[in-house]
């Protein structure tokens, strides 16, 4: 019973605080289409290659894009905004792996679908874009990830021990780059604080 109770506490804490984080990110996020329209009014320098920005929710600006524009002041020739969705079905075939929405000016919104028995491999999934107007060269593709740093706040209503427990679990969780099988020499992580 003690072991079961401990595992239940871990799972409930993880689910609850992840929901708080998602709500916080949604509240502070900007619509991707509106943001790109404003960026292209006075576009930054475009550099060769492809940038893949991982986003928790489709249609919202990834924090990594904001940080990249702020610090590097450039936009790649091609920009892919990718959301990975895991489903409660065993397999999702290659024919239903990708949803692609062109955003104009060599920008695309992608949703990648995996079943729980599929092995997530984002570079392989993106290779399915061949023939859809997106030319990916693995040697010139960079993956931009936002590394969230959780900042507890008093308004969350969580007990301090649960906040510390979640912070420890979040820190120990498998990194997205490893989970999605991204090439380690092509990953750029940009940190951002998320209040819960």
């Amino acid at each position: 019973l003690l072991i079961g109770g401990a595992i239940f506490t871990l799972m409930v804490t993880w689910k609850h605080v992840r929901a708080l984080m998602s709500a916080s990110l949604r509240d502070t996020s900007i619509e991707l289409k509106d943001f790109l329209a404003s960026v292209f009014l006075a576009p930054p320098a475009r550099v060769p290659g492809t940038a893949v920005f991982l986003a928790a929710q489709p249609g919202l600006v990834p924090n990594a894009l904001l940080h990249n524009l702020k610090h590097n002041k450039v936009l790649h020739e091609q920009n892919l905004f990718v959301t990975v969705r895991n489903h409660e079905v065993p397999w999702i075939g290659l024919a239903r792996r990708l949803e692609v929405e062109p955003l104009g000016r060599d920008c695309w919104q992608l949703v990648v679908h995996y079943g729980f028995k599929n092995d997530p491999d984002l570079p392989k999934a993106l290779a399915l874009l061949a023939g859809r107007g997106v030319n990916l060269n693995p040697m010139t593709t960079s993956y931009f990830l936002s590394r969230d740093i959780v900042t507890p706040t008093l308004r969350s209503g969580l007990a301090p021990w649960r906040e510390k427990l979640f912070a420890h679990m979040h820190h120990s969780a498998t990194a997205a780059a490893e989970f999605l099988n991204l090439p380690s020499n092509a990953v750029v992580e940009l940190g951002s604080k998320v209040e819960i």
Side-chain angles (χ1 to χ4, degrees):
L1 286 174
L2 285 173
I3 293 170
I7 292 171
F8 178 76
T9 301
L10 290 172
M11 292 172 68
V12 168
T13 298
W14 181 263
K15 183 176 181 182
H16 180 64
V17 181
R18 288 295 297 178
L20 288 175
M21 279 181 64
S22 293
S24 174
L25 287 171
R26 262 194 315 276
D27 292 343
T28 59
S29 292
I30 306 164
E31 289 289 326
L32 181 59
K33 290 180 182 178
D34 296 340
F35 179 78
L36 289 177
S38 66
V39 164
F40 285 119
L41 289 175
R46 303 290 290 262
V47 295
T50 301
V52 177
F53 294 96
L54 287 161
Q57 306 236 352
L60 300 179
V61 177
N63 283 336
L65 172 62
L66 296 173
H67 291 304
N68 188 48
L69 283 171
K70 178 182 176 183
H71 296 292
N72 298 324
K73 297 172 178 53
V74 296
L75 205 57
H76 284 69
E77 280 177 339
Q78 293 187 121
N79 296 278
L80 308 179
F81 303 99
V82 178
T83 300
V84 176
R85 290 255 168 92
N86 294 296
H87 298 275
E88 294 182 10
V89 295
W91 304 101
I92 292 180
L94 295 179
R96 295 186 301 133
R97 177 79 71 228
L98 287 179
E99 285 179 45
V100 182
E101 180 188 352
L103 302 173
R105 302 190 189 218
D106 292 321
C107 296
W108 289 268
Q109 173 74 62
L110 305 173
V111 180
V112 184
H113 299 278
Y114 291 107
F116 62 81
K117 285 193 170 184
N118 290 121
D119 291 326
D121 191 321
L122 191 56
K124 276 187 183 175
L126 295 180
L128 299 172
L129 289 168
R132 295 193 189 186
V134 184
N135 300 313
L136 281 182
N137 178 351
M139 298 304 293
T140 59
T141 299
S142 299
Y143 298 88
F144 290 84
L145 285 74
S146 181
R147 184 74 171 166
D148 297 329
I149 300 164
V150 179
T151 305
T153 60
L154 295 175
R155 68 176 182 272
S156 69
L158 285 176
W161 67 268
R162 284 186 84 184
E163 291 176 352
K164 290 177 184 175
L165 176 63
F166 178 79
H168 179 71
M169 288 192 304
H170 188 266
H171 180 73
S172 301
T174 302
E178 186 180 337
F179 178 73
L180 296 171
N181 200 30
L182 302 181
S184 58
N185 61 349
V187 173
V188 179
E189 281 194 336
L190 300 164
S192 64
K193 284 190 178 179
V194 178
E195 291 188 349
I196 56 169

